[in-house]
């Protein structure tokens, strides 16, 4: 069964995660002003959902030392869902204090991966999530602002450290998150192992057992990103993570570089008549900011290289200024 969206001008939601997932492995500090420029240029191209940073210890990942300043700027852009990642309760407290709209909590279904990434077993992470929900509810009563909690099941389609991951373990973790108060769930192919059949089967299974929105988070490590997005769409998923120019990776998954290329995925959907709300031409120009700041980083993506096909028309109705 496909999922309802609460906007009637788009058929799928595409969330930019490059400022978090893309930058977390990049050693060069991406200047704060350039991060702000990236956010505002993408918002102007119609991307309304952006994960702008991560609330991890700045000593561990200095790239996010400027989280507060980046969030302050992102909040000024009305109509933007400002999201941040948090690995633990402390990260949640920092995120809520900063005034984000959404927090993304990450737990790997693979025990070995979760221990390496956040120093907890999946069961301990789920337990901590309950404390995060309590903290969110308490702060919502005090401030009147209720932060949405997205609970991510990472390594849902396989793990570089453990190999196969049983789908029943993924379902179990997802179920526990929902029972604990998650507003949304995400399934992540953290290390780019998945194929379309696997995506279709697990997405359908999850959509059957949870009654909250489900996002698919794909990596293009083995070139399956866009086709896996299509498989997820066919299974009924309507929320997708992606990253401009396919930046991305995972510190504990050697070689797992590259989120699915956001602009290529948006191109696929628009070509199929599925509205993303994104102006593809404008979106491609935002890559210039990444090229300028990370000249040594290899950028991915076909659309930006080859351009739109002759006479291509978007499914999304573009604003007069863009046409
Ligand atoms: N933000 C800022 N500081 C934090 C923090 C957070 N979210 N979580 C912990 N800290 C600080 C603590 O206050 C403590 O500081 P101190 O040494 O000055 O006292 C220090 O970090 C260690 O805290 P500790 O309680 O031992 O950490 P932990 O075991 O609770 O958590 C994680 C470890 C989760 C913070 C760490 O493993 C992590 O950030 N992992 C995520 C890695 C990542 O981003 N992976 C990619 C995304 S999927
Ligand atoms: Zn990822």
């Amino acid at each position: 069964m496909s999922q309802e969206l609460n906007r009637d001008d788009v058929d799928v939601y595409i969330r930019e995660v490059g400022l978090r997932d893309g930058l977390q492995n990049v050693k060069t500090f991406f200047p704060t002003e350039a991060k702000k420029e990236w956010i505002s240029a993408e918002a102007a191209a119609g991307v309304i959902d952006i994960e702008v940073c991560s609330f991890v210890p700045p000593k561990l990942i200095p790239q996010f030392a400027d989280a507060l300043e980046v969030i302050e700027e992102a909040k000024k852009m009305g109509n933007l869902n400002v999201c941040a990642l948090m690995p633990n309760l402390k990260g949640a407290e920092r995120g809520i204090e900063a005034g984000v709209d959404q927090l993304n909590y990450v737990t790997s279904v693979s025990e070995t991966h979760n221990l390496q990434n956040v120093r907890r077993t999946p069961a301990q992470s789920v337990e901590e999530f309950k404390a995060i929900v309590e903290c969110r509810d308490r702060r919502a009563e005090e401030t009147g602002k209720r932060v949405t909690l997205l609970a991510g099941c990472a390594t849902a389609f396989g793990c570089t450290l453990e190999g196969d991951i049983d789908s029943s373990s993924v379902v179990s973790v997802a179920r526990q998150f929902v029972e604990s108060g998650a507003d949304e769930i995400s399934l992540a192919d953290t290390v780019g192992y998945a194929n379309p059949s696997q995506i279709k089967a697990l997405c359908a299974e999850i959509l059957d057992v949870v009654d909250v929105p489900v996002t698919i988070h794909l990596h293009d490590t083995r070139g399956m990103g866009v086709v896996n997005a299509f498989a997820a769409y066919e299974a009924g998923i309507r929320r997708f993570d992606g990253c401009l120019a396919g930046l991305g990776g995972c510190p504990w998954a050697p070689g797992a570089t590259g989120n699915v290329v956001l602009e290529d995925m948006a191109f696929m959907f628009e070509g199929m008549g599925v509205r993303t709300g994104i102006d593809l031409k404008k979106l491609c120009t935002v890559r210039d900011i990444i090229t300028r700041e990370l000249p040594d980083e290899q950028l991915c993506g076909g659309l930006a290289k080859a351009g739109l096909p002759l006479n291509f028309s978007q499914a999304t109705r573009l604003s007069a200024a863009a046409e």
Side-chain angles (χ1 to χ4, degrees):
M1 209 176 61
S2 72
Q3 300 223 307
E4 297 292 313
L5 300 179
N6 44 20
R7 274 181 56 170
D8 58 10
D9 57 340
V10 296
D11 302 308
V12 289
Y13 288 148
I14 296 187
R15 189 164 68 116
E16 169 65 85
V17 296
L19 284 119
R20 194 277 300 171
D21 207 346
L23 292 184
Q24 74 191 7
N25 270 350
V26 173
K27 294 285 166 268
T28 315
F29 182 74
F30 202 90
T32 309
E33 287 309 313
K35 287 176 184 166
K36 295 179 186 174
E37 200 185 337
W38 181 354
I39 295 167
S40 102
E42 271 204 15
V47 179
I48 47 126
D49 203 343
I50 306 184
E51 189 166 86
V52 297
C53 64
S54 186
F55 283 106
V56 287
K59 256 192 250 164
L60 197 70
I61 310 188
Q63 186 65 261
F64 303 122
D66 58 358
L68 290 182
E69 202 182 333
V70 172
I71 284 173
E72 217 35 64
E73 181 73 11
K75 276 163 54 184
K76 288 186 198 151
M77 285 158 227
N79 210 18
L80 186 68
N81 188 46
V82 180
C83 181
L85 185 133
M86 47 154 176
N88 58 5
L89 177 61
K90 169 128 191 185
E93 289 165 348
R94 290 177 63 206
I96 292 169
E97 208 49 49
V100 297
D101 299 310
Q102 185 168 44
L103 280 167
N104 176 12
Y105 184 63
V106 64
T107 298
S108 304
V109 179
S110 153
E111 178 157 328
T112 317
H113 193 273
N114 206 53
L115 282 167
Q116 291 221 19
N117 195 33
V118 294
R119 306 205 298 156
R120 286 154 175 78
T121 64
Q124 287 169 329
S125 281
V126 170
E127 235 7 76
E128 189 155 345
F129 185 69
K130 294 176 186 166
I132 290 172
V133 173
E134 269 177 38
C135 168
R136 185 277 308 271
D137 291 347
R138 197 174 54 248
R139 293 295 286 148
E141 265 183 32
E142 287 161 10
T143 64
K145 175 166 172 145
R146 185 179 181 280
V147 175
T148 308
L149 296 177
L150 171 74
C153 306
T155 63
F157 300 91
C159 170
T160 41
L161 306 167
E162 286 192 9
D164 291 345
I165 296 293
D166 200 44
S167 68
S168 63
S169 310
V170 184
V171 171
S172 163
V173 171
R175 222 194 258 275
Q176 291 175 63
F177 274 138
V178 175
E179 285 164 2
S180 308
D183 301 293
E184 300 186 21
I185 288 292
S186 87
L187 295 180
D189 182 19
T190 313
V191 297
Y193 273 14
N195 63 62
S197 304
Q198 204 186 351
I199 293 274
K200 233 175 177 170
L202 186 55
C203 289
E205 199 177 343
I206 291 281
L207 289 176
D208 266 351
V209 296
V210 304
D211 56 0
V212 298
V214 180
T215 295
I216 188 91
H217 176 99
L218 298 165
H219 280 255
D220 202 24
T221 317
R222 291 168 182 79
M224 294 291 112
V226 171
V227 72
N228 282 343
F230 177 66
Y233 178 80
E234 291 248 293
I237 297 290
R238 294 294 177 265
R239 290 159 205 257
F240 300 82
D241 284 351
C243 172
L244 195 70
L247 285 179
C250 165
W252 308 112
T257 49
N259 281 101
V260 61
V261 178
L262 192 150
E263 59 274 29
D264 288 0
M265 180 167 65
F267 168 67
M268 172 189 76
F269 283 129
E270 288 288 330
M272 288 164 53
V274 174
R275 296 166 304 163
T276 64
I278 298 170
D279 180 332
L280 296 174
K281 264 194 209 143
K282 273 194 187 169
L283 181 65
C284 285
T285 64
V286 184
R287 286 171 59 111
D288 297 345
I289 300 168
I290 304 179
T291 315
R292 187 189 72 210
E293 300 300 336
L294 302 175
D296 299 328
E297 208 66 33
Q298 197 186 340
L299 306 188
C300 307
L303 182 67
K305 266 190 226 139
L308 288 166
L310 190 64
N311 297 336
F312 182 82
S313 61
Q314 292 213 197
T316 295
R317 242 185 99 237
L318 300 174
S319 67
E323 274 170 323

